[in-house]
Amino acid sequence: NAAAGELVCAAMGRLVPLVVGYVTTEGGQHTHANGGVSANGGSTGGALVGEAAARNTEDSRERNELQKALIALTFSLTTASLSRALLAPTPSGAPCLFVVAPLMLSCAEGHPEMSVRKLCISAAFNLAREWLPADGPGPVAGFDAFAVDSFAAAGCLEMALRPCFPLKDAAAALALGEAAKYLLLLAARRGERLQALAATMLQARGATQGAAEVCALLAGGNGGAAALRKALTRAGEEARSQLKGC
């Protein structure tokens, strides 16, 4: 109901900046790796390094779990008609979206769990469906540029082009399929712009044939998301053939 929606918006505005600030922190405050000397004259360096490593590993695990929880929350909001919660102001005055969007993009680009990458793209799909109308500018300033120039490019088109992306992995295929769905949605609303972007990116990586195939599908070719996923995979293989190693 409306009251619950307002409560969610208020909570998002206060909590999201704190959570994102923590999960994007690298390393931590542990600085014991320089070693030391114990009271009996023996070196304590190895033990302290081990303790610091353990703490850093635990910090990384906690950050990873919080990242996943925040992405899951964002996805849930976008599927429950509560996307407006992402427009709630943070203490700095900027909307939550300006804090969450970079995290979504970062996780879509390189999160170690493919299921999290897929969830990021699903959340972005829901937002684009709501905030990116076909007949003009959307209601959220800056989202158009983010959706096309940032997320479609780095989060979707670039996915299969990365040398270490596991093209034959089943979970990776699901994430790439979600990227294909997102790209087709944008193609229906920002077609010429997206096609130009795709052609530039794929050709720059040596996937000339892949660029033609992907752009044809974005222009309305038959096959839907499944065909586009396969075309993106072939483009990745073509680009990868230009490289050696990972």
Side-chain angles (χ1 to χ4, degrees):
N1 56 33
E6 292 303 319
L7 182 61
V8 170
C9 290
M12 288 287 288
R14 291 184 176 276
L15 293 179
V16 165
L18 297 175
V19 175
V20 172
Y22 177 72
V23 300
T24 56
T25 298
E26 294 294 336
Q29 301 302 315
H30 310 303
T31 57
H32 298 107
N34 59 343
V37 179
S38 66
N40 61 8
S43 173
T44 62
L48 288 173
V49 169
E51 291 170 6
R55 282 193 293 267
N56 285 334
T57 299
E58 181 64 15
D59 287 346
S60 296
R61 187 194 66 79
E62 289 178 356
R63 284 196 296 272
N64 182 55
E65 291 302 314
L66 281 171
Q67 277 184 342
K68 291 164 61 176
L70 186 54
I71 295 301
L73 173 61
T74 301
F75 173 74
S76 296
L77 290 172
T78 64
T79 57
S81 300
L82 285 172
S83 297
R84 68 181 186 279
L86 296 174
L87 302 180
T90 62
S92 69
C96 279
L97 180 66
F98 285 18
V99 181
V100 173
L103 177 65
M104 288 174 54
L105 177 57
S106 175
C107 288
E109 286 184 272
H111 196 280
E113 297 182 34
M114 289 295 166
S115 60
V116 177
R117 297 193 198 191
K118 180 178 180 292
L119 199 61
C120 289
I121 299 170
S122 298
F125 178 93
N126 291 340
L127 291 175
R129 183 172 54 189
E130 182 175 350
W131 291 345
L132 201 68
D135 55 356
V140 180
F143 182 75
D144 189 306
F146 171 77
V148 180
D149 303 329
S150 296
F151 203 91
C156 297
L157 288 168
E158 184 74 17
M159 181 180 286
L161 298 176
R162 295 190 176 93
C164 292
F165 184 79
L167 291 171
K168 299 185 183 299
D169 178 74
L174 291 175
L176 190 59
E178 199 68 15
K181 286 173 55 180
Y182 179 85
L183 291 170
L184 287 175
L185 174 65
L186 263 61
R189 303 184 180 192
R190 300 293 185 270
E192 292 184 2
R193 184 169 151 205
L194 182 62
Q195 290 172 47
L197 178 64
T200 298
M201 289 183 63
L202 296 176
Q203 290 171 4
R205 300 292 287 273
T208 304
Q209 183 176 345
E213 188 177 1
V214 167
C215 287
L217 290 168
L218 292 176
N222 296 327
L228 182 55
R229 178 186 62 79
K230 293 177 182 177
L232 290 168
T233 300
R234 287 190 289 270
E237 292 170 342
E238 185 181 2
R240 197 163 298 187
S241 69
Q242 310 296 321
L243 303 172
K244 290 183 179 180
C246 203

